[in-house]
Amino acid sequence: MILKKIKLNNIRSYEHQEIEFPLGSTLLSGDIGSGKTSILLGIEFALFGLQPGQRGNSLLRNGAKEGSVEIEFEVEEKKIIIVRTLKRGKSITQDSCSLTVDNETREISVTELKNFVLDLLKYPSEFSKKQNLLYKFTVYTPQEEMKSIILEDPETRINTLRHIFGIDKYKRILENVSFVEGKIREE
């Protein structure tokens, strides 16, 4: 995935902001509260929508009735543009989504868009029903959450990291191989 551009409208500290990403690696730096995390949360929201347990008021700018994130990127030589909106009513909810692939735009449901992105980025399909830790911890790490992982006991820490990187299945494979090996030795 090559990120090209993001537009944030009424997202956290940004009223209206467009950021173009140059080709290559990008480092976001700045003082605390300067909006680095807002950009990353905007990318996460554009790709995956509100995550389970995440509330819309953590993204929508205080006092704003609506907001949106538009992200433009390339995957496998396809130009993709995703637009997701938030709307304030009794609560703040995802309002609409659109997907443009190579200049062909269509309205799409929140769930369909998340599944499209997971498939496009070749993420495991099980992420469609739960919080997408793989993206969060491989692209950016929320300030206090990595500290909580590091301070865990070694077994919990390694299991968490295995889950984040989608390699926990290899632990199960190793355990199954050990079990089968034991049975073969017994015979």
Side-chain angles (χ1 to χ4, degrees):
M1 178 174 138
I2 300 172
L3 191 58
K4 300 288 194 173
K5 185 188 314 182
I6 187 168
K7 294 179 187 177
L8 303 168
N9 291 302
N10 291 321
I11 300 296
R12 292 174 49 115
S13 59
Y14 293 104
E15 190 171 352
H16 301 287
Q17 185 67 48
E18 182 174 324
I19 302 164
E20 291 193 31
F21 296 97
L23 196 57
S25 300
T26 300
L27 172 68
L28 300 176
S29 68
D31 292 335
I32 294 172
S34 63
K36 303 176 299 291
T37 301
S38 297
I39 294 167
L40 296 171
L41 288 173
I43 294 168
E44 181 181 35
F45 173 67
L47 293 174
F48 306 109
L50 290 175
Q51 297 298 297
Q54 182 183 27
R55 295 173 43 188
N57 64 1
S58 68
L59 284 174
L60 188 61
R61 183 178 171 85
N62 286 336
K65 293 189 186 310
E66 55 189 29
S68 66
V69 177
E70 179 178 322
I71 188 171
E72 180 182 325
F73 60 96
E74 279 183 21
V75 173
E76 299 170 352
E77 299 183 25
K78 292 180 191 170
K79 179 182 171 186
I80 314 287
I81 299 172
I82 294 173
V83 179
R84 286 191 193 255
T85 62
L86 292 167
K87 191 171 195 167
R88 185 183 306 272
K90 291 181 182 179
S91 63
I92 299 169
T93 57
Q94 295 181 74
D95 189 35
S96 64
C97 305
S98 70
L99 170 67
T100 304
V101 178
D102 292 331
N103 298 318
E104 198 172 306
T105 303
R106 62 188 172 114
E107 294 293 316
I108 189 169
S109 76
V110 170
T111 304
E112 288 174 316
L113 183 53
K114 183 175 182 178
N115 289 333
F116 172 84
V117 170
L118 289 171
D119 186 53
L120 182 70
L121 300 180
K122 298 179 178 28
Y123 278 10
S125 59
E126 70 239 22
F127 284 119
S128 65
K129 293 182 174 58
K130 59 184 174 182
Q131 187 177 18
N132 195 346
L133 294 176
L134 182 63
Y135 171 81
K136 184 175 279 187
F137 286 104
T138 55
V139 176
Y140 75 97
T141 304
Q143 293 171 359
E144 290 298 313
E145 290 191 38
M146 184 51 95
K147 187 168 125 183
S148 68
I149 293 170
I150 291 170
L151 295 176
E152 288 287 348
D153 64 271
E155 182 69 19
T156 303
R157 181 172 52 243
I158 194 71
N159 287 335
T160 301
L161 293 173
R162 282 182 178 132
H163 178 70
I164 289 168
F165 293 108
I167 58 174
D168 48 348
K169 61 186 167 199
Y170 298 112
K171 179 184 176 196
R172 286 191 302 277
I173 292 169
L174 185 60
E175 289 168 349
N176 290 341
V177 166
S178 294
F179 176 77
V180 170
E181 181 184 35
K183 290 292 186 184
I184 291 172
R185 285 182 189 206
E186 284 176 15
E187 289 181 16

